[in-house]
Amino acid sequence: MRNTAGYGFARETVAWFRREAWSVLGGLICGLSLLSSCADHSYPGEEALTEEIELTPESSYPIIISVGNSILDESTPDMASRASSFKHPVYVYSFKKDLATDFRITTAENHDVCLIDGSKSPTPTLQGKKAYVGTEEPYLVWSEEPTTMYYLNNNQPYDVYGYYLDGLELTDEAVDRTQEGIRLKVNINGRQDLMSSKAVVTDEQLKQANIPANDWALMREQCFSGYTAASNIQPMLEFKHHLTKLVFRLYPAVQNAWKTTINSITVRAKTEGYFTVAHSSVGNMGVNFSETTTYGELPLTEADGTPLLQDTYRPVQEGVDYSLPMYERPSVQVGDCLMVPPGETTYVCEVQMTQLLDDGTLHSFKNTLQVTNGQAGFQAGNQYTVKLAIYGLQEIGVDVSVEPWLDGGDVSIDPDEEMGAQK
């Protein structure tokens, strides 16, 4: 059962942070001013940091992680929407902020090096520690014991990583922890939205905590730790999409287009890749499909993952103004959406169709389409709407447009070009 006990705890703790921040802040900045910026982000020494403040076990600070830019405004109206976007667990790692940190070390082996992973969960795992996005508050809630995580009392800063598998279940055999980072072997089916994030302290957080601008660099060196938590500066995960999102829509090209029904759409694409979810160099994080030649057919489904409804998806019949340009006419979305590997310039799609003939019989056929995005290719984090203009038995026109998911633009191919119909 999902654990929600942490919601109230998180709210009360953050409120306490805000009440106490001013009393702690003066000593904090004095302590930080004694530091020099360490090029390797290594622990600068207990004496330098405890000159003004001494942390004891009784003053440990809990680790409270938010999702999105919501820690700055608890009245953010889209909290429920954000939680609904994360229907499955978020996984969290946290490692010592040091160039010499070894990502093979687990929390069970050395809590100082690996602050958070799944190795001390009731069922130990090499993956990150499971959490859920709150429905009423913007914080992650740990789903397994321990349900509260604390910074260590040695002022050591830590990096915090989060990743999202969208329901994809992995065993420890799929987890490769090396000295430099952690990657997962993933096999996608077109349904998973793979995302990851590394928390970085923002200017807004520093302003909210009333940190003087000339102390920002020193404060960043100490993120994230008990010291920064004392000023209510906690990790915030801004997730990045690593796959390409395809949406399919049907447009009536001719008046009898409604007689054609789409019963399935599949996209041929690579299905096996490696997802780097934590690394000493953040530029190496993401999903890489270049190391494999494993291809498969990714089927478009309904929103619940079931196969497309049969005898359902056809172009609009009534009230169509055929004087309008093709893609300004009313359209019908087919099924849900499809998540595919990015980087391709062309996807091969197979469309299974039926057409109602004049004698009242149904004719089944398939059409193979080359869905192309020119030299730009299909990019991670973009949503592409594949617009299918239905002419009849032999012909489908194709137009591709980019719509906001993370960013956008416009591309198209000739919608009148016949695309290799096959019976």
Side-chain angles (χ1 to χ4, degrees):
M1 177 176 291
R2 178 172 171 176
N3 186 307
T4 58
Y7 291 154
F9 174 79
R11 179 174 59 251
E12 294 171 4
T13 304
V14 171
W16 183 87
F17 282 159
R18 288 173 176 166
R19 292 195 301 270
E20 297 295 317
W22 284 106
S23 64
V24 175
L25 187 58
L28 170 62
I29 298 303
C30 290
L32 287 174
S33 65
L34 298 175
L35 290 172
S36 59
S37 179
C38 300
D40 65 350
H41 304 300
S42 60
Y43 173 39
E46 186 76 16
E47 292 183 1
L49 287 173
T50 57
E51 184 79 17
E52 298 293 332
I53 301 174
E54 181 178 356
L55 294 180
T56 66
E58 290 73 26
S59 63
S60 296
Y61 289 98
I63 303 168
I64 302 174
I65 302 173
S66 68
V67 174
N69 194 24
S70 51
I71 197 169
L72 305 179
D73 181 8
E74 291 192 38
S75 64
T76 301
D78 63 342
M79 285 185 202
S81 174
R82 180 184 299 111
S84 67
S85 298
F86 292 87
K87 298 177 182 178
H88 300 282
V90 171
Y91 297 83
V92 177
Y93 285 114
S94 182
F95 288 91
K96 188 176 183 179
K97 189 175 183 180
D98 191 312
L99 293 180
T101 291
D102 189 337
F103 288 80
R104 294 171 296 187
I105 297 173
T106 67
T107 300
E109 294 168 337
N110 190 327
H111 198 199
D112 180 67
V113 173
C114 181
L115 185 64
I116 300 175
D117 72 358
S119 64
K120 297 190 76 172
S121 298
T123 303
T125 175
L126 294 176
Q127 287 202 69
K129 183 173 174 61
K130 282 185 181 181
Y132 284 91
V133 178
T135 56
E136 298 178 0
E137 295 177 332
Y139 310 109
L140 290 182
V141 178
W142 305 113
S143 62
E144 298 176 335
E145 295 293 337
T147 56
T148 304
M149 303 293 293
Y150 293 93
Y151 289 104
L152 302 186
N153 297 316
N154 59 3
N155 309 317
Q156 169 65 47
Y158 288 85
D159 288 320
V160 178
Y161 305 87
Y163 63 97
Y164 183 67
L165 298 176
D166 205 7
L168 179 62
E169 296 288 342
L170 299 179
T171 64
D172 277 0
E173 285 71 24
V175 183
D176 182 19
R177 294 178 67 154
T178 67
Q179 183 173 346
E180 295 78 20
I182 303 173
R183 73 174 189 171
L184 316 175
K185 186 176 182 179
V186 294
N187 285 276
I188 63 172
N189 62 11
R191 298 290 307 153
Q192 296 92 4
D193 182 10
L194 303 181
M195 296 188 288
S196 69
S197 174
K198 179 183 178 183
V200 178
V201 66
T202 66
D203 291 352
E204 289 76 12
Q205 285 176 295
L206 294 169
K207 291 176 183 177
Q208 183 80 4
N210 295 308
I211 305 297
N214 59 351
D215 290 313
W216 282 14
L218 291 173
M219 183 65 82
R220 290 183 194 278
E221 288 292 325
Q222 291 306 110
C223 283
F224 294 92
S225 63
Y227 261 86
T228 55
S231 289
N232 194 27
I233 297 178
Q234 290 273 14
M236 182 168 58
L237 296 175
E238 296 274 9
F239 283 91
K240 177 181 179 180
H241 298 280
H242 294 297
L243 298 182
T244 296
K245 184 178 183 180
L246 300 181
V247 174
F248 294 84
R249 301 195 71 88
L250 305 181
Y251 291 79
V254 293
Q255 290 187 356
N256 65 351
W258 63 270
K259 294 183 178 181
T260 300
T261 302
I262 307 298
N263 287 319
S264 77
I265 296 176
T266 59
V267 173
R268 182 168 176 76
K270 290 184 176 180
T271 57
E272 183 179 275
Y274 293 92
F275 186 7
T276 300
V277 297
H279 202 277
S280 56
S281 176
V282 69
N284 290 327
M285 292 174 59
V287 185
N288 179 11
F289 288 89
S290 67
E291 297 182 34
T292 179
T293 57
T294 302
Y295 278 80
E297 306 298 328
L298 302 180
L300 181 65
T301 69
E302 299 295 333
D304 61 1
T306 57
L308 282 186
L309 296 174
Q310 299 296 288
D311 194 31
T312 299
Y313 297 108
R314 55 180 64 90
V316 174
Q317 178 182 6
E318 304 291 340
V320 179
D321 182 355
Y322 288 94
S323 67
L324 291 173
M326 178 78 71
Y327 299 112
E328 292 181 15
R329 300 171 190 174
S331 64
V332 173
Q333 180 172 328
V334 183
D336 189 30
C337 61
L338 199 58
M339 306 294 184
V340 297
E344 303 288 348
T345 56
T346 299
Y347 294 110
V348 177
C349 300
E350 184 173 278
V351 183
Q352 297 285 349
M353 318 164 72
T354 60
Q355 185 172 25
L356 179 64
L357 302 181
D358 292 340
D359 62 5
T361 61
L362 283 176
H363 176 67
S364 298
F365 61 101
K366 66 180 178 181
N367 203 313
T368 301
L369 308 177
Q370 305 286 329
V371 179
T372 301
N373 190 28
Q375 295 181 347
F378 291 87
Q379 304 298 315
N382 279 354
Q383 173 178 308
Y384 296 85
T385 298
V386 181
K387 302 175 182 179
L388 304 178
I390 306 300
Y391 289 89
L393 184 64
Q394 292 281 333
E395 187 177 357
I396 298 178
V398 181
D399 180 87
V400 179
S401 67
V402 186
E403 299 181 4
W405 191 19
L406 290 185
D407 45 61
D410 291 295
V411 293
S412 65
I413 63 175
D414 185 356
D416 294 324
E417 181 180 352
E418 187 172 341
M419 293 298 195
Q422 298 180 13
K423 293 186 179 180

